[in-house]
Amino acid sequence: MRPADDIKRMIKTLSDTTSAEMDKKVLDDALKALADSKETQSADAGPNRWRIIMKSRIIKLAAAAVIIFAVTAPIIFFNKTVPIAYGGIEQTVEAYRHMRSIHLHHESPPAAEPQDMWIEFDENGKPVRLRLEEGLGDTFRIVTWVDGVIKFYRPAEKEFVVIDQPGAGREIEHRIELVNPRLAVQAIYDEHLEGKLDIEIEQNATEDGLVRVIATDTTPLDELPKQAFRVRYVLLVDPSTKLATQREEYFLREGKYVLESRFIYDGYNEPIDEQMFVFEVPEAVQVDDRAARAGLFQGDLSDSEVAAEVVRRYIQALVEKDYTTAGILYNGRPADELQQRVEQTLEIKCVRLIAVGEPVPEPERGQRAYGVPFAFLIETADGKKEIAGPWGGKVYSPEAEANLDISKCRRAMVRPLVTDPDYWVIDGGI
Amino acid sequence: MIEDKLLVSRLRRGDADAMRRVYQKYKDYLFTLAKALLGGQYEAEDVVHDVFVSFARTVRQVQFMTNLKGYLATSVGNRARDRIRARTRQAAVNLDSMDPVSSNTDCPQQHAIGQEELMRLRQAIAKVPYEQREAVVLHIKGRMKFREIAKLQGVPTSTSCARYRYGLDKLRSLLNSEVQ
């Protein structure tokens, strides 16, 4: 009698190899399909790639001290049972104390350009190493941050930049703070304890048995700060690890919660391959002082004045096709990348500035950060004129311009450089 | 795993080299699965082709995948199942369409076991009812969990476990009867 183990062993040894002819056929067709999907994707790409990591209203900028919470927050449970009980978001806060590494994927529906980060933390939760990949096609770039040295590689341009300056890493740390799930969850919990967020928990909410945590802003709509949206955060939590596998952020617009951005987390505490932090050295290497050159010097202007001025000058630079100046104001972004984005990807011409609104403090984005509403006239590839700034865009007409409420337009995020607070930069939103 | 995540990340950006790497990495594994499920070489080739082309077309849209190998194996399972359904006019698998076992294998272990024996194994696998065959092949060769197979088959996990057991029994019975 042939035992089952024998049969299993035989099945395991089954091994077929594809033919060279098949390999060629499959790869040719798959690469073509990939290229086709790339074109479709590029056409859908929105204008605001840089806002994608910066939108949370409640993320704290300072790395929060770890607190073991004794108080159990009031929680609404739905009538569902789970094999592993999830006791509340404080368990997730606690679980994040042990996070030493993570891979996070971020996407923001209007922007369509994904972002991936692999981050290592020390035992205190402080980030120590990073690999960042973002952009699509020609704008794809890789950034590593290891031992305080930032390396930036843009394959399409064979551009390789090393930034090895004291304090340069603080910009990276600032960015990581804005996407760090540990701080995001801590902030949700803090605001919940302060009564600013209602939390609902849906046990066993997905096929995989994940828990859904819904945190909704409790501020009455008529008491919301000017131009602010009511926000809702939705976490998916693995009840076995208590860690979040996904975080989504929604804004209430016209009575409906609309998805603003989504983070997907995985790879918690998995060792990150050393090769992830190493580049194959390209032909040309240059040392760059981009971080020191970025931004507009504040001088005698107040914080809100300089914030508005940065946006005004940025739009004016786009109108004049002065991409070098625009790039310096946009967090030191390379001029050719901006130019490519505006002229080839978006295929628009910036015609003139319409208005820059009153800056609104955005303390969640930094102690001195502001959101600056903007509107400017653009011309699309087919010659149509539109107003950029209003949510969803607006076809241009003199009446439309005359009736424009600048306070309801989108806001460019502006802040002083962490490394040099006398210089202000745009950090997203436009 | 880390490499797979990196590859998926690059694929989402349209990186052709990442596509080549994914193909080289998993082509034989998927082809073996497809051939075990379907029997015929040409159908297996078609399935692998379709899986990779579809993957390339949709990699930007699909939910973030944490297990690339499992995702691709499931895709093979789904497509093989579609093909089996399309065979409704055939009462049984057409063994005549199967290719000689030695046609494209270079596994030393496989040679050691003996090609005659493997031929009998393939023929026996082809005679096992499809749902059971799927559970056996995907679990043993595909290293998929019963929970994943159950999801693919649209049945409770206990059913996929039972199908696996029945499939294995059937295989054992077929192989033993041939030996006797």
Side-chain angles (χ1 to χ4, degrees):
Chain A
M1 189 76 176
R2 191 186 292 272
D5 283 348
D6 196 21
I7 295 172
K8 288 183 197 171
R9 183 181 56 79
M10 287 171 64
I11 292 175
K12 280 181 185 170
T13 61
L14 286 177
S15 177
D16 296 292
T17 55
T18 58
S19 64
E21 188 183 350
M22 174 187 168
D23 292 346
K24 183 174 184 320
K25 167 75 175 156
V26 176
L27 266 178
D28 284 353
D29 290 352
L31 291 174
K32 183 174 182 310
L34 187 68
D36 289 346
S37 76
K38 188 177 172 183
E39 284 170 12
T40 308
Q41 189 78 8
S42 299
D44 293 341
N48 49 353
R49 177 163 70 101
W50 283 79
R51 64 196 288 268
I52 62 178
I53 65 166
M54 303 293 181
K55 284 302 293 181
S56 175
R57 190 177 73 83
I58 61 168
I59 288 177
K60 307 300 184 196
L61 291 176
V66 175
I67 302 167
I68 301 173
F69 293 95
V71 180
T72 303
I75 289 165
I76 302 164
F77 286 95
F78 290 129
N79 281 333
K80 288 191 178 178
T81 56
V82 283
I84 303 170
Y86 179 66
I89 194 169
E90 64 272 27
Q91 289 187 338
T92 300
V93 172
E94 172 65 13
Y96 272 113
R97 290 182 61 199
H98 309 290
M99 181 177 70
R100 296 290 176 271
S101 63
I102 188 175
H103 165 229
L104 68 85
H105 172 82
H106 184 257
E107 53 200 27
S108 184
E113 288 191 343
Q115 183 182 55
D116 286 272
M117 282 189 185
W118 290 261
I119 312 168
E120 284 182 351
F121 300 88
D122 67 14
E123 62 276 11
N124 298 313
K126 183 177 163 57
V128 291
R129 288 203 296 187
L130 162 83
R131 179 189 179 93
L132 162 68
E133 296 190 357
E134 65 179 354
L136 286 166
D138 290 345
T139 64
F140 172 63
R141 60 191 203 170
I142 305 169
V143 178
T144 62
W145 173 58
V146 180
D147 295 331
V149 178
I150 301 168
K151 292 180 180 174
F152 169 106
Y153 180 37
R154 197 149 60 106
E157 299 295 323
K158 293 187 176 175
E159 181 186 12
F160 185 68
V161 178
V162 178
I163 304 175
D164 185 6
Q165 296 173 340
R170 285 167 57 196
E171 282 288 328
I172 295 284
E173 288 175 320
H174 176 67
R175 287 196 160 223
I176 293 173
E177 283 171 5
L178 291 167
V179 299
N180 187 339
R182 176 180 178 169
L183 301 184
V185 168
Q186 177 75 64
I188 288 173
Y189 187 65
D190 288 348
E191 294 215 353
H192 173 57
L193 291 182
E194 292 167 12
K196 295 176 182 172
L197 290 174
D198 263 348
I199 288 185
E200 297 175 24
I201 293 182
E202 186 180 354
Q203 306 272 12
N204 208 12
T206 69
E207 282 184 3
D208 298 336
L210 298 178
V211 176
R212 183 176 288 122
V213 179
I214 304 168
T216 307
D217 195 341
T218 59
T219 314
L221 288 176
D222 56 358
E223 292 178 19
L224 278 173
K226 190 179 173 187
Q227 301 175 42
F229 293 101
R230 178 181 274 181
V231 292
R232 168 174 283 176
Y233 306 97
V234 179
L235 300 174
L236 287 181
V237 177
D238 182 338
S240 60
T241 64
K242 317 298 185 200
L243 294 166
T245 60
Q246 179 174 292
R247 179 169 70 90
E248 292 178 330
E249 183 175 314
Y250 295 81
F251 282 1
L252 184 64
R253 290 212 178 100
E254 298 174 356
K256 288 199 316 190
Y257 282 102
V258 179
L259 180 67
E260 273 293 303
S261 70
R262 176 186 293 124
F263 289 91
I264 297 165
Y265 308 121
D266 70 353
Y268 282 115
N269 298 326
E270 283 181 15
I272 300 176
D273 192 328
E274 285 299 317
Q275 291 303 309
M276 297 283 283
F277 302 103
V278 177
F279 281 121
E280 290 175 18
V281 180
E283 293 171 9
V285 177
Q286 57 177 305
V287 177
D288 188 273
D289 61 349
R290 179 172 299 152
R293 287 192 283 109
L296 176 67
F297 183 62
Q298 183 167 7
D300 295 331
L301 298 176
S302 68
D303 284 1
S304 66
E305 286 171 342
V306 74
E309 187 61 21
V310 170
V311 176
R312 193 175 293 115
R313 290 196 188 195
Y314 173 72
I315 294 172
Q316 192 56 41
L318 291 182
V319 170
E320 293 168 5
K321 297 190 176 182
D322 178 0
Y323 295 106
T324 301
T325 300
I328 287 171
L329 296 172
Y330 207 137
N331 211 355
R333 201 170 183 177
D336 56 345
E337 189 183 316
L338 260 185
Q339 181 173 11
Q340 186 176 28
R341 182 80 176 152
V342 172
E343 296 182 1
Q344 292 176 27
T345 305
L346 298 173
E347 291 189 283
I348 58 169
K349 191 161 72 179
C350 301
V351 180
R352 66 177 165 82
L353 173 70
I354 292 178
V356 169
E358 186 182 337
V360 180
E362 294 270 356
E364 303 82 9
R365 306 282 300 266
Q367 286 182 350
R368 296 163 65 198
Y370 285 86
V372 181
F374 63 87
F376 59 103
L377 183 61
I378 61 171
E379 192 175 307
T380 59
D382 53 4
K384 291 179 183 166
K385 287 187 177 175
E386 294 179 8
I387 301 175
W391 288 98
K394 190 181 275 289
V395 175
Y396 171 77
S397 69
E399 296 74 29
E401 180 175 349
N403 295 327
L404 186 70
D405 182 351
I406 188 67
S407 69
K408 290 198 166 69
C409 288
R410 288 166 48 185
R411 284 173 279 171
M413 295 301 143
V414 185
R415 63 175 174 86
L417 276 173
V418 177
T419 46
D420 194 348
D422 289 335
Y423 285 80
W424 287 65
V425 292
I426 296 174
D427 206 15
I430 183 170
Chain B
M1 284 294 284
I2 286 284
E3 192 205 9
D4 281 357
K5 287 170 191 165
L6 190 58
L7 287 171
V8 170
S9 160
R10 288 179 177 169
L11 275 169
R12 286 174 181 279
R13 299 185 172 88
D15 186 333
D17 286 339
M19 188 71 238
R20 290 188 189 94
R21 173 71 187 132
V22 170
Y23 180 71
Q24 287 299 329
K25 191 172 178 182
Y26 291 121
K27 67 186 178 87
D28 290 342
Y29 163 74
L30 298 175
F31 183 55
T32 302
L33 277 189
K35 197 168 169 187
L37 290 171
L38 292 163
Q41 166 147 343
Y42 300 124
E43 269 194 314
E45 285 182 352
D46 284 349
V47 161
V48 173
H49 171 273
D50 292 351
V51 163
F52 274 105
V53 171
S54 171
F55 173 63
R57 190 178 295 131
T58 58
V59 65
R60 296 165 192 276
Q61 283 92 48
V62 293
Q63 260 291 356
F64 189 69
M65 61 193 75
T66 54
N67 180 354
L68 176 59
K69 188 178 180 181
Y71 176 85
L72 293 171
T74 302
S75 301
V76 165
N78 280 326
R79 286 181 183 273
R81 173 172 280 253
D82 290 344
R83 292 206 166 236
I84 290 291
R85 284 183 183 140
R87 289 179 184 170
T88 49
R89 291 180 190 169
Q90 288 180 253
V93 176
N94 180 2
L95 295 180
D96 294 339
S97 68
M98 289 180 62
D99 311 285
V101 175
S102 57
S103 64
N104 57 352
T105 181
D106 54 5
C107 172
Q109 261 183 307
Q110 204 159 299
H111 284 295
I113 287 172
Q115 295 191 2
E116 278 294 315
E117 196 172 21
L118 281 174
M119 172 68 89
R120 282 201 300 277
L121 174 66
R122 286 182 187 278
Q123 288 176 339
I125 288 174
K127 288 177 182 169
V128 173
Y130 186 74
E131 283 79 8
Q132 297 173 15
R133 187 192 324 163
E134 193 175 56
V136 169
V137 170
L138 292 181
H139 182 66
I140 297 176
K141 186 66 192 177
R143 293 176 177 270
M144 285 172 67
K145 295 172 183 166
F146 288 120
R147 182 167 51 81
E148 295 167 327
I149 297 168
K151 197 170 173 184
L152 185 148
Q153 295 186 328
V155 296
T157 305
S158 56
T159 305
S160 69
C161 287
R163 285 176 175 174
Y164 170 77
R165 280 200 309 276
Y166 291 138
L168 214 52
D169 286 346
K170 175 82 175 169
L171 263 183
R172 192 162 45 169
S173 160
L174 286 166
L175 289 169
N176 286 329
S177 67
E178 282 182 11
V179 168
Q180 287 159 3

